[in-house]
Amino acid sequence: MSASTPSLLAAAREAAAHQHYPQGALYMVATPIGNLADIGLRALQVLSLADTVACEDTRHTASLLQGYGLHKPLLALHEHNEAEAAQTVVQRLQEGQRVAYVSDAGTPGVSDPGARLVSAVTAAGLRCVPIPGASSITALLSVAGSPRTGGWDGRFVFAGFLSPKAAERQREVQHMADDARACVLLEAPHRIEALAKDLAALGERMLTVGRELTKQFEEVAHLSAASFPAWLQANAHRTRGEFVLLVHPQAADKAEAGALDTATQRTLDLLLTELPLKTAVKLCADITGQPRNTLYEAALARRKDRQAEAD
Protein backbone atom coordinates (compact mmCIF):
# COMPACT_ATOMS: atom_id res chain seq x y z
CA MET A 1 0.00 0.00 0.00
CA SER A 2 2.92 2.35 0.60
CA ALA A 3 3.44 2.98 -3.13
CA SER A 4 -0.03 4.49 -3.43
CA THR A 5 -0.03 6.26 -0.06
CA PRO A 6 0.13 9.86 -1.41
CA SER A 7 -2.81 9.29 -3.75
CA LEU A 8 -4.75 7.53 -0.98
CA LEU A 9 -4.31 10.44 1.42
CA ALA A 10 -5.18 12.86 -1.38
CA ALA A 11 -8.37 10.88 -2.04
CA ALA A 12 -9.22 11.07 1.67
CA ARG A 13 -8.77 14.84 1.65
CA GLU A 14 -10.84 15.20 -1.51
CA ALA A 15 -13.69 13.06 -0.18
CA ALA A 16 -13.75 14.09 3.47
CA ALA A 17 -11.99 17.42 3.99
CA HIS A 18 -15.16 19.44 3.34
CA GLN A 19 -16.63 18.20 6.61
CA HIS A 20 -16.06 20.01 9.89
CA TYR A 21 -13.71 18.31 12.34
CA PRO A 22 -13.96 20.34 15.55
CA GLN A 23 -11.03 20.77 17.86
CA GLY A 24 -11.37 19.60 21.45
CA ALA A 25 -13.22 16.46 20.32
CA LEU A 26 -12.55 12.76 20.69
CA TYR A 27 -12.82 10.74 17.48
CA MET A 28 -13.62 7.02 17.89
CA VAL A 29 -12.04 5.64 14.73
CA ALA A 30 -12.76 2.16 13.35
CA THR A 31 -9.70 0.53 11.78
CA PRO A 32 -9.34 -2.54 9.53
CA ILE A 33 -9.88 -5.96 11.09
CA GLY A 34 -7.06 -7.43 9.03
CA ASN A 35 -6.85 -5.98 5.54
CA LEU A 36 -5.24 -2.53 5.42
CA ALA A 37 -7.21 -1.69 2.27
CA ASP A 38 -10.43 -1.63 4.30
CA ILE A 39 -9.61 1.72 5.93
CA GLY A 40 -12.26 4.40 5.45
CA LEU A 41 -11.48 7.73 3.81
CA ARG A 42 -12.96 9.64 6.77
CA ALA A 43 -10.81 7.57 9.12
CA LEU A 44 -7.68 8.53 7.16
CA GLN A 45 -8.66 12.20 7.19
CA VAL A 46 -9.27 12.19 10.95
CA LEU A 47 -6.03 10.34 11.65
CA SER A 48 -4.13 12.85 9.51
CA LEU A 49 -5.70 15.76 11.44
CA ALA A 50 -5.33 14.28 14.93
CA ASP A 51 -2.93 15.93 17.34
CA THR A 52 -2.74 12.69 19.33
CA VAL A 53 -3.72 9.12 18.55
CA ALA A 54 -4.68 7.21 21.67
CA CYS A 55 -4.53 3.48 21.10
CA GLU A 56 -4.75 0.02 22.59
CA ASP A 57 -1.21 -0.98 21.54
CA THR A 58 1.30 1.68 20.51
CA ARG A 59 3.51 -0.72 18.51
CA HIS A 60 0.55 -2.08 16.55
CA THR A 61 -0.85 1.39 15.86
CA ALA A 62 2.54 2.81 14.87
CA SER A 63 2.79 0.07 12.25
CA LEU A 64 -0.79 0.71 11.11
CA LEU A 65 -0.21 4.45 10.67
CA GLN A 66 3.09 3.86 8.91
CA GLY A 67 1.22 1.73 6.37
CA TYR A 68 -0.74 4.85 5.42
CA GLY A 69 2.25 7.19 5.51
CA LEU A 70 1.18 8.81 8.80
CA HIS A 71 3.27 9.53 11.89
CA LYS A 72 1.53 10.82 15.01
CA PRO A 73 2.21 11.15 18.74
CA LEU A 74 0.76 8.06 20.41
CA LEU A 75 -0.82 7.60 23.83
CA ALA A 76 -1.33 4.09 25.23
CA LEU A 77 -4.89 3.53 26.46
CA HIS A 78 -5.87 -0.08 27.12
CA GLU A 79 -7.97 -2.12 29.54
CA HIS A 80 -5.35 -1.91 32.31
CA ASN A 81 -4.91 1.89 32.32
CA GLU A 82 -8.10 3.16 30.69
CA ALA A 83 -9.41 5.14 33.68
CA GLU A 84 -6.11 6.97 34.24
CA ALA A 85 -5.30 7.50 30.56
CA ALA A 86 -8.84 8.77 29.92
CA GLN A 87 -8.11 11.73 32.18
CA THR A 88 -5.01 12.52 30.11
CA VAL A 89 -7.21 12.49 27.00
CA VAL A 90 -9.75 14.78 28.68
CA GLN A 91 -6.97 17.23 29.58
CA ARG A 92 -5.70 17.30 26.00
CA LEU A 93 -9.21 17.84 24.65
CA GLN A 94 -9.68 20.73 27.06
CA GLU A 95 -6.51 22.22 25.58
CA GLY A 96 -8.19 22.13 22.17
CA GLN A 97 -6.52 19.05 20.70
CA ARG A 98 -8.18 16.62 18.37
CA VAL A 99 -7.66 13.13 19.80
CA ALA A 100 -8.39 9.98 17.79
CA TYR A 101 -8.82 6.67 19.58
CA VAL A 102 -8.25 3.33 17.87
CA SER A 103 -8.25 -0.23 19.17
CA ASP A 104 -6.13 -2.95 17.60
CA ALA A 105 -8.85 -3.78 15.05
CA GLY A 106 -12.43 -2.82 14.31
CA THR A 107 -14.55 -0.37 16.25
CA PRO A 108 -13.22 0.74 19.64
CA GLY A 109 -15.59 0.43 22.58
CA VAL A 110 -17.26 -2.69 21.13
CA SER A 111 -15.71 -5.67 22.98
CA ASP A 112 -12.55 -3.54 23.00
CA PRO A 113 -11.31 -0.72 25.27
CA GLY A 114 -12.90 2.68 24.73
CA ALA A 115 -16.22 2.66 26.56
CA ARG A 116 -14.80 4.12 29.78
CA LEU A 117 -12.90 6.69 27.74
CA VAL A 118 -16.12 7.84 26.08
CA SER A 119 -17.85 8.03 29.47
CA ALA A 120 -15.07 10.20 30.89
CA VAL A 121 -15.08 12.52 27.89
CA THR A 122 -18.87 12.84 27.94
CA ALA A 123 -18.86 13.48 31.70
CA ALA A 124 -16.44 16.36 31.10
CA GLY A 125 -18.93 17.92 28.69
CA LEU A 126 -16.77 17.24 25.64
CA ARG A 127 -17.75 15.84 22.27
CA CYS A 128 -17.26 12.28 20.96
CA VAL A 129 -17.45 11.72 17.19
CA PRO A 130 -17.91 8.21 15.72
CA ILE A 131 -15.93 7.34 12.58
CA PRO A 132 -17.37 3.99 11.42
CA GLY A 133 -15.59 1.34 9.41
CA ALA A 134 -14.76 -2.35 9.18
CA SER A 135 -16.58 -4.72 11.54
CA SER A 136 -16.15 -8.47 11.97
CA ILE A 137 -19.75 -8.65 13.18
CA THR A 138 -21.41 -7.21 10.10
CA ALA A 139 -18.86 -8.91 7.83
CA LEU A 140 -19.93 -12.32 9.12
CA LEU A 141 -23.65 -11.50 9.11
CA SER A 142 -23.43 -10.49 5.46
CA VAL A 143 -22.36 -14.01 4.45
CA ALA A 144 -24.22 -16.03 7.07
CA GLY A 145 -27.59 -16.44 5.42
CA SER A 146 -29.61 -19.06 7.24
CA PRO A 147 -29.09 -22.42 5.59
CA ARG A 148 -31.49 -24.35 7.81
CA THR A 149 -34.33 -21.88 8.22
CA GLY A 150 -34.41 -20.41 4.71
CA GLY A 151 -33.77 -16.84 5.78
CA TRP A 152 -34.26 -14.76 8.91
CA ASP A 153 -35.39 -11.28 9.82
CA GLY A 154 -31.92 -9.92 10.60
CA ARG A 155 -32.47 -9.49 14.33
CA PHE A 156 -29.72 -10.79 16.60
CA VAL A 157 -28.33 -10.55 20.11
CA PHE A 158 -24.68 -9.50 20.44
CA ALA A 159 -23.08 -11.42 23.32
CA GLY A 160 -19.44 -10.66 22.49
CA PHE A 161 -16.95 -12.74 24.48
CA LEU A 162 -18.57 -15.26 26.81
CA SER A 163 -17.16 -15.79 30.29
CA PRO A 164 -13.70 -17.41 30.51
CA LYS A 165 -15.01 -19.39 33.50
CA ALA A 166 -16.36 -22.77 32.39
CA ALA A 167 -19.42 -22.93 34.66
CA GLU A 168 -20.54 -19.40 33.83
CA ARG A 169 -19.91 -19.92 30.11
CA GLN A 170 -22.06 -23.07 30.17
CA ARG A 171 -24.88 -21.10 31.82
CA GLU A 172 -24.60 -18.46 29.09
CA VAL A 173 -24.83 -21.14 26.41
CA GLN A 174 -27.93 -22.52 28.14
CA HIS A 175 -29.52 -19.08 27.90
CA MET A 176 -28.86 -19.23 24.16
CA ALA A 177 -30.55 -22.61 24.01
CA ASP A 178 -33.61 -21.07 25.65
CA ASP A 179 -33.65 -18.11 23.24
CA ALA A 180 -34.91 -18.54 19.67
CA ARG A 181 -33.07 -15.44 18.43
CA ALA A 182 -29.75 -15.38 16.58
CA CYS A 183 -26.69 -14.58 18.71
CA VAL A 184 -23.26 -13.23 17.68
CA LEU A 185 -20.18 -14.27 19.65
CA LEU A 186 -16.50 -13.35 19.56
CA GLU A 187 -13.67 -15.60 20.70
CA ALA A 188 -9.89 -15.71 20.90
CA PRO A 189 -7.88 -18.67 19.55
CA HIS A 190 -6.74 -19.93 22.94
CA ARG A 191 -10.36 -20.38 24.11
CA ILE A 192 -12.09 -21.47 20.91
CA GLU A 193 -11.92 -25.22 21.65
CA ALA A 194 -13.53 -24.75 25.08
CA LEU A 195 -16.28 -22.62 23.54
CA ALA A 196 -16.86 -25.20 20.79
CA LYS A 197 -17.28 -27.94 23.36
CA ASP A 198 -19.92 -25.91 25.21
CA LEU A 199 -21.75 -24.83 22.04
CA ALA A 200 -22.03 -28.49 21.01
CA ALA A 201 -24.82 -28.72 23.61
CA LEU A 202 -26.98 -26.74 21.15
CA GLY A 203 -27.12 -29.87 18.99
CA GLU A 204 -28.41 -29.36 15.44
CA ARG A 205 -28.76 -25.59 15.77
CA MET A 206 -26.78 -24.01 12.94
CA LEU A 207 -23.61 -21.96 13.33
CA THR A 208 -21.72 -19.76 10.92
CA VAL A 209 -18.07 -19.59 11.95
CA GLY A 210 -15.81 -16.82 10.67
CA ARG A 211 -12.06 -17.16 11.20
CA GLU A 212 -9.44 -14.56 10.28
CA LEU A 213 -11.97 -12.46 8.37
CA THR A 214 -10.45 -10.21 5.64
CA LYS A 215 -7.00 -11.83 6.14
CA GLN A 216 -5.05 -14.19 3.89
CA PHE A 217 -6.37 -17.38 5.51
CA GLU A 218 -9.98 -16.22 5.90
CA GLU A 219 -12.44 -19.06 6.42
CA VAL A 220 -16.24 -19.10 6.73
CA ALA A 221 -18.04 -22.33 7.55
CA HIS A 222 -21.70 -23.29 8.06
CA LEU A 223 -22.18 -26.26 10.35
CA SER A 224 -24.25 -27.60 13.23
CA ALA A 225 -23.23 -26.74 16.78
CA ALA A 226 -22.80 -30.45 17.52
CA SER A 227 -20.18 -30.79 14.78
CA PHE A 228 -18.17 -27.69 15.71
CA PRO A 229 -15.56 -29.45 17.93
CA ALA A 230 -14.85 -32.04 15.23
CA TRP A 231 -14.56 -29.30 12.58
CA LEU A 232 -11.88 -27.56 14.65
CA GLN A 233 -9.97 -30.79 15.23
CA ALA A 234 -10.01 -31.72 11.54
CA ASN A 235 -7.33 -29.10 10.77
CA ALA A 236 -4.74 -27.79 13.23
CA HIS A 237 -4.81 -24.37 11.56
CA ARG A 238 -8.47 -23.92 12.46
CA THR A 239 -7.68 -23.10 16.10
CA ARG A 240 -5.57 -20.13 15.01
CA GLY A 241 -6.74 -16.58 14.50
CA GLU A 242 -9.62 -14.49 15.78
CA PHE A 243 -13.17 -15.85 15.59
CA VAL A 244 -16.64 -14.39 15.18
CA LEU A 245 -19.61 -16.77 15.28
CA LEU A 246 -23.31 -16.56 14.55
CA VAL A 247 -25.59 -18.94 16.43
CA HIS A 248 -28.50 -19.04 14.01
CA PRO A 249 -32.08 -18.54 15.18
CA GLN A 250 -33.99 -21.68 16.01
CA ALA A 251 -35.79 -23.23 13.08
CA ALA A 252 -39.50 -22.40 12.91
CA ASP A 253 -40.56 -25.96 13.68
CA LYS A 254 -38.28 -25.97 16.74
CA ALA A 255 -39.79 -22.72 18.03
CA GLU A 256 -43.30 -24.02 17.52
CA ALA A 257 -42.36 -27.19 19.36
CA GLY A 258 -41.59 -24.99 22.35
CA ALA A 259 -45.31 -24.19 22.82
CA LEU A 260 -46.54 -25.16 26.27
CA ASP A 261 -48.28 -28.46 26.79
CA THR A 262 -51.59 -28.50 28.67
CA ALA A 263 -50.12 -29.48 32.03
CA THR A 264 -47.44 -26.78 31.91
CA GLN A 265 -49.94 -24.14 30.83
CA ARG A 266 -52.25 -25.08 33.73
CA THR A 267 -49.35 -24.89 36.20
CA LEU A 268 -48.41 -21.47 34.89
CA ASP A 269 -52.01 -20.25 35.05
CA LEU A 270 -52.36 -21.35 38.67
CA LEU A 271 -49.13 -19.62 39.66
CA LEU A 272 -50.11 -16.43 37.83
CA THR A 273 -53.32 -16.18 39.87
CA GLU A 274 -51.30 -16.00 43.11
CA LEU A 275 -47.91 -14.54 42.24
CA PRO A 276 -46.27 -11.70 40.28
CA LEU A 277 -45.42 -12.64 36.70
CA LYS A 278 -41.65 -13.03 37.09
CA THR A 279 -42.00 -15.11 40.25
CA ALA A 280 -44.62 -17.31 38.63
CA VAL A 281 -42.39 -17.88 35.63
CA LYS A 282 -39.39 -18.78 37.80
CA LEU A 283 -41.35 -21.28 39.87
CA CYS A 284 -42.98 -22.79 36.80
CA ALA A 285 -39.56 -23.27 35.20
CA ASP A 286 -38.33 -24.99 38.37
CA ILE A 287 -41.38 -27.25 38.47
CA THR A 288 -41.69 -28.17 34.80
CA GLY A 289 -38.17 -27.78 33.43
CA GLN A 290 -39.46 -25.59 30.60
CA PRO A 291 -37.25 -22.69 29.38
CA ARG A 292 -37.91 -19.43 31.21
CA ASN A 293 -38.08 -17.43 27.98
CA THR A 294 -40.84 -19.69 26.63
CA LEU A 295 -42.77 -19.46 29.90
CA TYR A 296 -42.30 -15.70 30.07
CA GLU A 297 -43.72 -15.22 26.56
CA ALA A 298 -46.64 -17.49 27.42
CA ALA A 299 -47.29 -15.56 30.63
CA LEU A 300 -47.29 -12.23 28.79
CA ALA A 301 -49.71 -13.63 26.20
CA ARG A 302 -51.97 -14.95 28.96
CA ARG A 303 -52.00 -11.57 30.72
CA LYS A 304 -52.80 -9.82 27.43
CA ASP A 305 -55.71 -12.22 26.81
CA ARG A 306 -57.11 -11.59 30.28
CA GLN A 307 -56.88 -7.83 29.85
CA ALA A 308 -58.72 -8.13 26.51
CA GLU A 309 -61.45 -10.18 28.17
CA ALA A 310 -61.77 -7.60 30.95
CA ASP A 311 -62.15 -4.80 28.42
Side-chain angles (χ1 to χ4, degrees):
M1 178 170 289
S2 58
S4 60
T5 292
S7 59
L8 182 63
L9 294 177
R13 286 193 298 271
E14 178 67 23
H18 67 282
Q19 295 185 328
H20 178 54
Y21 299 95
Q23 295 179 313
L26 171 67
Y27 295 84
M28 299 293 283
V29 181
T31 54
I33 59 176
N35 192 317
L36 285 180
D38 288 338
I39 191 71
L41 295 181
R42 286 183 67 216
L44 280 177
Q45 178 66 5
V46 166
L47 290 172
S48 67
L49 291 174
D51 299 294
T52 299
V53 176
C55 55
E56 188 176 1
D57 184 322
T58 55
R59 291 172 298 180
H60 177 88
T61 300
S63 177
L64 177 75
L65 294 177
Q66 184 177 2
Y68 304 124
L70 296 172
H71 302 275
K72 293 288 177 176
L74 302 179
L75 170 68
L77 190 151
H78 46 73
E79 61 177 331
H80 303 296
N81 77 339
E82 188 168 356
E84 178 183 355
Q87 295 309 311
T88 301
V89 171
V90 168
Q91 181 179 353
R92 294 190 183 190
L93 295 177
Q94 290 171 335
E95 294 170 355
Q97 288 193 22
R98 296 184 184 95
V99 177
Y101 182 67
V102 300
S103 58
D104 287 348
T107 304
V110 181
S111 292
D112 273 337
R116 283 185 288 179
L117 170 62
V118 169
S119 294
V121 170
T122 302
L126 298 164
R127 184 175 176 183
C128 298
V129 181
I131 307 296
S135 164
S136 63
I137 300 165
T138 54
L140 185 74
L141 290 174
S142 71
V143 295
S146 194
R148 182 63 59 86
T149 60
W152 56 296
D153 60 10
R155 294 184 295 174
F156 65 92
V157 176
F158 176 61
F161 291 92
L162 298 188
S163 174
K165 298 180 180 179
E168 179 60 27
R169 186 174 60 248
Q170 289 162 11
R171 282 193 290 270
E172 292 171 335
V173 170
Q174 183 56 51
H175 288 318
M176 278 185 261
D178 295 341
D179 193 333
R181 295 174 295 178
C183 183
V184 174
L185 307 174
L186 304 176
E187 193 51 276
H190 65 280
R191 289 205 302 260
I192 191 61
E193 290 180 289
L195 176 63
K197 181 180 178 181
D198 292 335
L199 288 177
L202 299 178
E204 291 306 305
R205 193 155 171 185
M206 294 300 296
L207 303 179
T208 295
V209 180
R211 186 181 73 84
E212 292 288 83
L213 293 183
T214 78
K215 300 176 185 176
Q216 181 179 358
F217 299 108
E218 173 183 278
E219 189 169 11
V220 176
H222 306 282
L223 63 161
S224 70
S227 65
F228 188 20
W231 180 84
L232 283 176
Q233 294 169 7
N235 186 327
H237 293 288
R238 286 180 176 165
T239 58
R240 301 174 183 174
E242 300 299 321
F243 288 81
V244 56
L245 306 97
L246 174 68
V247 179
H248 282 256
Q250 288 182 358
D253 57 347
K254 174 86 173 184
E256 290 170 4
L260 302 187
D261 56 62
T262 303
T264 301
Q265 185 67 65
R266 187 170 185 277
T267 300
L268 181 60
D269 288 344
L270 290 172
L271 292 170
L272 286 170
T273 60
E274 301 293 336
L275 299 168
L277 187 144
K278 288 186 178 179
T279 305
V281 166
K282 180 181 182 303
L283 287 177
C284 191
D286 292 341
I287 294 168
T288 67
Q290 291 288 330
R292 288 193 189 182
N293 285 355
T294 301
L295 294 169
Y296 188 76
E297 293 297 327
L300 288 176
R302 203 55 134 193
R303 185 166 67 178
K304 184 177 179 181
D305 291 342
R306 289 176 177 172
Q307 289 175 344
E309 291 172 1
D311 293 341

